Amino acid sequence: MQIKHHLVVFDAADMDEESRFWAGVLGGTIEADDDWHEVVVDGKPFVAVQLAPDHAPPEWPDGNAQQIHLDLWIDDIEEAHEHVIAHGARLLKGSQNGNATDTFRVYADPAGHPFCLCW
């Protein structure tokens, strides 16, 4: 089997807010249908958002279970932190692992999906 493309899809009750967040963070554009949005980066779909009117946000780390999360490796944590916060992210947990090879912070997107900025 050869996989030609992969796409992470986020459920959200407010597709516009969720799509704007990921388009802003990733530097992409939004291609929107009624119940499906794709965030396109460099001409290729990168993530998608599908309408889920009854979406219950994950409650990290306990509570409603998360279904998936993204780890995004970045060069400058302070610049990346300001960037995601400006687009609507919430910081869930500060830096982890100190000066280890993979240090990270945990955030939530507008629909509550956790993601990590790693460096």
Side-chain angles (χ1 to χ4, degrees):
M1 175 175 80
Q2 181 181 2
I3 298 172
K4 295 181 179 183
H5 180 72
H6 70 277
L7 191 64
V8 174
V9 180
F10 294 100
D11 289 348
D14 186 336
M15 291 179 19
D16 293 331
E17 180 183 45
E18 186 76 355
S19 298
R20 280 191 309 271
F21 173 79
W22 286 110
V25 167
L26 299 169
T29 58
I30 300 167
E31 294 183 3
D33 289 326
D34 291 340
D35 58 359
W36 179 267
H37 292 183
E38 288 184 348
V39 175
V40 177
V41 179
D42 296 327
K44 297 180 183 175
F46 196 87
V47 298
V49 178
Q50 92 180 348
L51 180 61
D54 298 325
H55 172 68
E59 296 171 358
W60 188 91
D62 301 314
N64 291 336
Q66 64 181 350
Q67 293 82 35
I68 191 170
H69 78 269
L70 296 178
D71 288 343
L72 305 171
W73 270 261
I74 46 88
D75 292 324
D76 182 332
I77 182 56
E78 296 311 323
E79 177 185 0
H81 171 85
E82 293 302 323
H83 185 73
V84 299
I85 293 295
H87 285 286
R90 289 181 294 116
L91 179 65
L92 297 178
K93 189 164 184 147
S95 299
Q96 299 295 297
N97 289 350
N99 292 323
T101 303
D102 291 328
T103 305
F104 62 94
R105 290 182 189 168
V106 182
Y107 297 82
D109 71 14
H113 300 290
F115 67 97
C116 297
L117 293 180
C118 310
W119 66 97

